[in-house]
Amino acid sequence: MSITLHEVGITPLIRALHNLSSLLDKAEQHADQHKLEPQQLLSARLYEDMYPLTAQVQRASDTAKATASRLSAVAAPAFSDDETSFDELQARINKTIVFLESIPADAVNGQEDRVITMKLRGEERSMSAREYLLVFGLPNFFFHITTAYDILRHQGVKLGKMDFLGL
């Protein structure tokens, strides 16, 4: 059995963004039920030098767009990083999903060995598309999804592993 770069790369990005959207729905319901200002959750962070929830969602979106763009050579849309509400974050997630769904499988599949060059911490790094996806794109994306989940759990939102997995 073979699996394509599109199936390994684009498909899990879309699924995880849908799951993130569900997490935000539960967070908004939690705020309503407990009479919390939404900003309390939106600005929450795990540690003072870490991004707050809003930025974690923005970085997950940016990483998904960049990963898809680098794998496919299709330019990603730019978003302004000015979301301040659950509705605005949901709109950003939806726009990201629309972009990912627009990436044709044939623009990604067969590109496993194409060289991707990017700057990391001011230094140029080159790697194959396969290596980029497996050691940078997906891990970086899931770091931000996981951190958003952890922030919400830390704030008392009733979430479990199945919420993260979307099952």
Side-chain angles (χ1 to χ4, degrees), residues 148-164:
Y149 170 91
D150 292 342
I151 288 169
L152 294 174
R153 284 280 296 160
H154 187 70
Q155 292 296 308
V157 178
K158 299 293 185 223
L159 300 171
K161 186 192 294 188
M162 295 303 127
D163 295 303
F164 180 86

Side-chain angles (χ1 to χ4, degrees), residues 26-38 41 86:
K26 289 185 177 200
E28 190 169 22
Q29 291 167 11
H30 175 84
D32 288 343
Q33 290 169 352
H34 293 87
K35 308 284 189 258
L36 301 173
E37 287 295 321
L41 296 177
F86 284 111

Side-chain angles (χ1 to χ4, degrees), residues 112-118 120 125-133 135-137:
E112 293 82 4
D113 296 321
R114 185 172 49 81
V115 175
I116 293 175
T117 301
M118 62 181 179
L120 288 175
R125 289 278 318 262
S126 294
M127 57 190 85
S128 70
R130 177 188 299 106
E131 181 183 13
Y132 164 79
L133 177 64
V135 304
F136 186 80

